[in-house]
Amino acid sequence: MKLLVITQYFWPENFRINDLVEEFVQRGHEVTVLTGKPNYPVGKIFPEYASAPQKFDSFAGARIVRVPLVPRGKGGLRLIWNYLSFALSASLLGNMKLKRERFDVIFVYEPSPITVGLPAALFRRTKSAPIAFWVLDLWPETLKAIGIVKSAALLGLVGKLVSFVYNNCDLILAQSKSFVPEIQKYARPGASIAYFPSWAESMFQPTVMPQAESSAKQQFDILFAGNIGDAQDFPAILNAAEMLKSRKDIRWLIVGDGRMAQWVRTEVERRGLSDNVHLLGRHPLEKMPEFYAAADALLVTLKNEPIFSMTIPGKLQSYLAAGRPILAMIDGEGADVVRRAEAGLCCRASDAAALAKAVQQMAAMPQKERERMGENGISFSKTEFDRNILMSRLEEWLMSLRKSSP
């Protein structure tokens, strides 16, 4: 199968699409990736790419075709230009670069923005190839939830854009079961929509078992890993850390970067939390299992918004597979996963006091009880989010699309 993957984000940026592309190459498929220049989450073109772009023309046997875009930078307006510039560049320059290419199926990766579907709709016509569109972020609901767009009229226009994109897809994949009815609101009647969750990246498959904790260990380390953005509700996280400021045995470790990173640094300093909260910066994905294994608990958070209660945070699958107990300040389907897995403690989204209480409760637990939570997470990951099963399911869907296309 000749597969064209359209994604605004790709290696050396850390997203699950990297893992998916590598897997499909290993399964014998010919994969071409149409993507932008790497700049997520820092907002600037990665210096290692800028100095030697030719080193980033292939990945794990897949060919990469890159088009220019406006880097994310800072501020909502710059972010909108980032989204629109990739959509335009991929549509025009991408089409020129792949003018003589033929593909069996087009796979679109959409963690955000929905505009990634515009070049895909064009390629669907020029290449006469069906589209499978993986929805990991619901628009326009997310734009409203994080305050990027507040105008009802503009949100209505975005809704029409969403309908256009969905109605140009042959298969729409939803990252959570709660997404399915929301997608149906914008898709045509009878649209093909299926539940397709994320998995833990290959390095998080249960190879890193919980480390034996030294009885002399004085610190209880809570690790947050990933994007430091609006959706992750860092004001609530820092409020909880401030409530536990006197607990010198509790440390909050933040690994990652994002649009709110500087705000978090400023707040940590202003609130006098430098001894409690440590920002460790962005690290390669390959280093994350080491951070996970060294932590006593892994933290996942999302703001108290209806859209986020429908979301299974992408890091949750990796947390489960890593075998460490989870602290979850989230609502809805994500919280339900943690509870069903019996893999940690949950509290309501944006409830800083409840998070502080859960932290103290977990820190007071016997080591064996926390280890049991980690083992439960691994077991649940194997049954609900098995990488091989999910990849095989996707492969079958894509092969069926190829056979059904004219």
Side-chain angles (χ1 to χ4, degrees), residues 162-235:
V162 172
S163 290
F164 173 80
V165 170
Y166 287 171
N167 291 334
N168 275 277
C169 296
D170 300 273
L171 173 64
I172 305 173
L173 303 174
Q175 68 105 294
S176 74
K177 294 175 182 176
S178 301
F179 270 29
V180 173
E182 296 301 311
I183 291 171
Q184 288 172 334
K185 293 178 182 178
Y186 295 96
R188 65 183 180 275
S192 181
I193 305 171
Y195 168 57
F196 183 68
S198 297
W199 58 91
E201 293 96 333
S202 54
M203 73 275 301
F204 294 114
Q205 299 306 304
T207 54
V208 179
M209 295 298 291
Q211 290 183 338
E213 299 180 39
S214 168
S215 59
K217 188 174 186 293
Q218 298 298 312
Q219 242 78 36
F220 181 78
D221 289 333
I222 305 159
L223 176 71
F224 175 96
N227 183 42
I228 305 175
D230 293 309
Q232 287 71 37
D233 202 356
F234 271 86

Side-chain angles (χ1 to χ4, degrees), residues 39-215:
N39 68 108
Y40 181 94
V42 293
K44 299 178 181 179
I45 301 298
F46 288 7
E48 60 268 31
Y49 172 83
S51 62
Q54 70 280 2
K55 293 183 179 179
F56 299 88
D57 288 342
S58 64
F59 172 78
R63 178 174 58 134
I64 305 175
V65 177
R66 296 189 186 271
V67 294
L69 47 64
V70 176
R72 294 168 66 87
K74 296 180 180 180
L77 184 59
R78 184 64 178 264
L79 186 61
I80 290 171
W81 279 117
N82 170 255
Y83 292 164
L84 294 178
S85 65
F86 174 75
L88 182 62
S89 189
S91 297
L92 300 180
L93 293 178
N95 201 46
M96 289 175 58
K97 291 185 176 186
L98 297 172
K99 186 176 182 180
R100 292 182 173 83
E101 302 277 348
R102 305 302 299 176
F103 299 99
D104 297 313
V105 180
I106 299 167
F107 181 85
V108 185
Y109 177 72
E110 188 259 339
S112 195
I114 192 68
T115 46
V116 72
L118 295 176
L122 176 62
F123 273 89
R124 184 175 185 260
R125 286 165 173 73
T126 60
K127 304 301 180 184
S128 299
I131 292 177
F133 193 89
W134 192 16
V135 180
L136 291 99
D137 193 18
L138 289 176
W139 278 42
E141 292 84 355
T142 295
L143 295 180
K144 181 179 180 182
I146 62 178
I148 291 181
V149 177
K150 298 178 181 179
S151 164
L154 188 52
L155 288 169
L157 288 175
V158 174
K160 293 183 183 298
L161 172 63
V162 172
S163 290
F164 173 80
V165 170
Y166 287 171
N167 291 334
N168 275 277
C169 296
D170 300 273
L171 173 64
I172 305 173
L173 303 174
Q175 68 105 294
S176 74
K177 294 175 182 176
S178 301
F179 270 29
V180 173
E182 296 301 311
I183 291 171
Q184 288 172 334
K185 293 178 182 178
Y186 295 96
R188 65 183 180 275
S192 181
I193 305 171
Y195 168 57
F196 183 68
S198 297
W199 58 91
E201 293 96 333
S202 54
M203 73 275 301
F204 294 114
Q205 299 306 304
T207 54
V208 179
M209 295 298 291
Q211 290 183 338
E213 299 180 39
S214 168
S215 59

Side-chain angles (χ1 to χ4, degrees), residues 7 139 187 219 259 315 381:
T7 171
W139 278 42
Q219 242 78 36
R259 298 175 64 80
K315 64 168 63 73
S381 176

